[in-house]
Amino acid sequence: AKGMGRNNFQTYVAVPEESHQQRLALESKLRLAERNGELRAYYQPQVSSQTEDIIGMEALIRWEHPELGMISPGFFIPLAEDTGLIVSIGEWMLRTALADTKRWHDRFNLPLRISVNLSALQLKQPNLKDVVERAVRDTGLDAKHVELEVTESINVKGIPNLIETLQSLRDMGCSIAIDDFGTGQSSLDYIRRFPADRIKIDQVFVRNIGVDPDDEAIVRATINMSQQLNRGVIAEGVEYEEHLRFLRDHGCEELQGYLFCRPLPAASFENLLAEREKL
Ligand code: C2E
Ligand code: CA
Ligand code: CA
Ligand code: CA
């Protein structure tokens, strides 16, 4: 069924044990990365569990350093968060992802949803709503196609007015997804009040489908809870047919993972959409 570029493997450079010096050096390189055009937006499809049609895509950032090679976001995003660079990098990512999505809407006439990750520091910026509004206006993409992913592991109390901020983004037409669900500390009461449209089951649970009955129980319970609370639900890290079957059979609507496709550069993602259009 698949074949959406499963072999698009990506290797990252091994970043050496960091000394203070190396960290400073990397920080100054990161400062220039945006200006030098070294950042890339990659896209990973999110598919319907029923039809395997592409419903949308998550935008995932990559840093292609001319000498160091491809640097993993797992490595440089924390650095960008510590240094505050994530605010401008995040805005670049948002604008790039919305512009690419608008182009695909126009070319393929598909109502694709774009999911963009937001960091805690972005959520603390008083002008976040303006930034999103401007990106929507400048690209011409309808806000109803824009989803913002907020990880459950953020320190909620450290972000003043978080709920109001998220609600204002929803009022604009955007949707909100809780990323990495199940890995944070949220109480059920908090989840009930959290203005989220979708719950994203973390890959640590998905990975253990077929392996650990306790994790399977957590996955089932999360799907049921999402349905009961009228939220959408998506699973990430879907790698095997067994994961797909389990998730589909238990009512998880949407899936994302290497089984369907790795994150692709914009041009490859566009080719994928073009191929699918011919089917
Ligand atoms: P995340 O938001 O939880 O993104 C999902 C990660 O899982 C991505 O790693 C994706 O490539 C990977 N993945 C997708 N399918 C599979 C699968 O089937 N199996 C496995 N093992 N992994 C899969 P990636 O791209 O390396 O990103 C790592 C993290 O970096 C993201 O985790 C997110 O927290 C952060 N990140 C990436 N792009 C951005 C961005 O633009 N802004 C912010 N703030 N954070 C970002
Ligand atoms: Ca995410
Ligand atoms: Ca995630
Ligand atoms: Ca994660």
Side-chain angles (χ1 to χ4, degrees), residues 10 12 40 42 44 58-62 72-78 81 86 89-90 92-94 115-120 122 149 151 179-180 200 202-203 206-207 236-240 243 256-263:
Q10 192 170 16
Y12 292 112
R40 311 261 177 276
Y42 274 51
Q44 185 178 36
E58 179 176 6
L60 293 159
I61 200 162
R62 299 288 180 264
S72 153
F75 181 80
F76 76 86
I77 289 290
E81 285 169 338
I86 192 65
I89 290 175
W92 174 86
M93 193 59 182
L94 179 73
S115 298
V116 180
N117 292 285
L118 283 187
S119 280
Q122 291 175 276
E149 294 194 2
T151 178
D179 201 0
D180 307 322
K200 199 162 182 184
D202 194 78
Q203 24 187 302
V206 174
R207 187 181 301 149
E236 67 180 345
V238 179
E239 294 189 4
Y240 296 101
H243 300 164
Q256 176 181 350
Y258 296 164
L259 177 64
F260 308 101
C261 193
R262 299 211 161 226

Side-chain angles (χ1 to χ4, degrees), residues 2 17 42 69 76 85 112 150 155 173 178 182 188 193 201 215 218 237 239-240 272:
K2 317 301 170 310
E17 252 336 279
Y42 274 51
F76 76 86
L85 288 169
L112 296 168
V150 177
N155 172 15
I178 309 184
L188 293 173
R193 291 185 294 117
I201 306 173
D215 284 327
I218 291 173
E239 294 189 4
Y240 296 101
L272 175 68

Side-chain angles (χ1 to χ4, degrees), residues 5-12 42 70 258 261-265:
R6 281 180 86 177
N7 297 319
N8 191 278
F9 281 91
Q10 192 170 16
T11 47
Y12 292 112
Y42 274 51
M70 200 65 115
Y258 296 164
C261 193
R262 299 211 161 226
L264 299 173

Side-chain angles (χ1 to χ4, degrees), residues 84-154:
L85 288 169
I86 192 65
V87 174
S88 70
I89 290 175
E91 182 172 354
W92 174 86
M93 193 59 182
L94 179 73
R95 297 179 66 89
T96 303
L98 268 55
D100 284 340
T101 303
K102 172 63 174 153
R103 206 175 60 247
W104 297 331
H105 277 206
D106 292 346
R107 174 164 175 201
F108 300 106
N109 195 26
L110 283 173
L112 296 168
R113 182 182 71 216
I114 179 70
S115 298
V116 180
N117 292 285
L118 283 187
S119 280
L121 194 61
Q122 291 175 276
L123 290 161
K124 285 187 201 170
Q125 305 300 309
N127 69 343
L128 177 64
K129 183 170 178 271
D130 301 335
V131 166
V132 176
E133 237 161 19
R134 222 179 312 128
V136 163
R137 184 162 18 91
D138 293 351
T139 57
L141 187 73
D142 192 326
K144 74 178 182 204
H145 302 297
V146 177
E147 183 153 278
L148 300 162
E149 294 194 2
V150 177
T151 178
E152 200 219 347
S153 65
I154 53 170

